[in-house]
Amino acid sequence: MAKIIDGKAFAEGLRGRIAKAVDVLKSKHGFTPGLAVVLVGEDPASKVYVANKAKQTVEVGMNSWEHRLPAETSEKDLLAMVERLNADPAVDGILVQLPLPKHIDSTKVLTAIAPAKDVDGFHVVNVGKLSTGQDSLVPCTPVGSVMLARDVLGKLDGVEAVVIGRSNIVGKPVAQLLLAENCTVTIAHSRTKDLPGVVRRADLVIAAVGRPEMVKGDWLKPGATVIDVGINRIERDGKGKLVGDCDFASCEKVAGAITPVPGGVGPMTIACLLYNTVKAACAARGINQPEM
Ligand code: NAD
């Protein structure tokens, strides 16, 4: 049976190290890093995410600002808010919660965020830096996924990795990070032929598809490490349930290690957002980032 990778415990440890780093910044450098989160509209899942982000930001000792705007906010007004946050020296990180209402062009809004404050790592400048191997703010879920893989496998040099999914939010950045760790990386997607055959080559599988329990145990190389990014809400036995993109029951029999859903990659995302905020705050002031 596979080792279960405890993302919740790992994220808790990381948040503890971030809280210590924030203490150092306050006591030695006299400032408190701050994160501003902008939510447009009433999407219930987004409201929960934003509330969790604010709670955890405060728990590690940072400043947190929540800007809740009505669903009918114009693109112009949202861009004006982003500009105000860009210009505010107390704000080190800006996160605009996605998805945005349909009348707003998300790309335009994400591009308006100052790259140095882009703690989601979605700005083209940060995407370009990541893909050319320059230090940058990297998307949170991909960083968290690779941290968990490294925790299991140690150095990832030469590891045969298969990433399933090619989104800008998860698949592509996770593949870039694995490349930077010297993995041999295959990106599989909806048009990949013989997906089980491709997945069977992998020592490390990262699934970011959004299809409940798609990856089966008999697709895996025995002993493979499986990082399941998927979060899918399904109905089973008349009850709502969260499941990943991997069929946990069959995969845990073949894998060497596997993340559960929930409690695997999920908790890593906010911890990495807080990490990015500290990183941005230090870079803005030209000081060395404390150990985290
Ligand atoms: P997306 O819909 O943008 O991308 C999905 C990708 O999967 C696409 O590139 C597509 O080519 C690929 N795909 C679709 N069907 C496929 C198939 N049958 N075979 C192979 N590939 C297929 O999704 P996303 O934003 O990358 O998110 C993926 C999953 O990760 C979702 O379940 C999402 O909820 C979850 N997620 C979790 C976190 C977190 O843990 N905090 C963060 C972001 C996304």
Side-chain angles (χ1 to χ4, degrees), residues 14-226:
L14 178 57
R15 288 199 306 275
R17 296 194 293 282
I18 293 169
K20 284 200 181 114
V22 171
D23 272 348
V24 171
L25 296 176
K26 285 180 182 173
S27 59
K28 287 213 176 119
H29 299 279
F31 74 93
T32 304
L35 172 66
V37 178
V38 183
L39 173 65
V40 185
E42 300 293 328
D43 180 66
S46 293
K47 278 183 168 173
V48 174
Y49 291 144
V50 166
N52 279 337
K53 282 168 187 170
K55 180 170 169 274
Q56 294 188 28
T57 305
V58 171
E59 276 169 7
V60 297
M62 296 203 274
N63 288 326
S64 162
W65 299 276
E66 261 183 87
H67 297 278
R68 292 181 175 233
L69 304 175
E72 58 277 13
T73 302
S74 69
E75 184 180 281
K76 188 165 164 262
D77 286 350
L78 179 58
L79 289 169
M81 162 151 287
V82 168
E83 279 313 319
R84 280 199 298 282
L85 296 172
N86 281 344
D88 184 342
V91 174
D92 297 297
I94 304 169
L95 184 147
V96 177
Q97 185 66 42
L98 299 178
L100 287 168
K102 288 203 168 49
H103 66 278
I104 297 178
D105 179 349
S106 307
T107 307
K108 210 167 171 181
V109 174
L110 295 181
T111 309
I113 297 172
K117 296 189 179 190
D118 168 40
V119 282
D120 248 345
F122 295 156
H123 193 288
V124 283
V125 167
N126 285 318
V127 175
K129 283 185 172 176
L130 174 63
S131 68
T132 52
Q134 299 175 58
D135 189 35
S136 61
L137 292 166
V138 182
C140 305
T141 304
V143 174
S145 303
V146 174
M147 279 182 184
L148 293 180
R150 283 185 56 160
D151 192 48
V152 175
L153 295 168
K155 275 180 87 127
L156 299 179
D157 271 59
V159 165
E160 192 80 43
V162 170
V163 177
I164 320 174
R166 57 174 163 184
S167 72
N168 291 335
I169 291 175
V170 191
K172 282 181 198 158
V174 100
Q176 291 288 358
L177 286 170
L178 293 173
L179 210 50
E181 297 277 342
N182 300 318
C183 292
T184 302
V185 184
T186 302
I187 306 178
H189 47 77
S190 52
R191 307 286 176 89
T192 295
K193 289 186 182 139
D194 184 22
L195 185 60
V198 172
V199 172
R200 216 166 279 129
R201 296 203 303 255
D203 300 312
L204 171 61
V205 178
I206 305 219
V209 190
R211 297 200 182 267
E213 301 173 328
M214 184 185 84
V215 177
K216 308 297 179 199
D218 64 2
W219 295 19
L220 299 175
K221 184 199 263 191
T225 297
V226 178

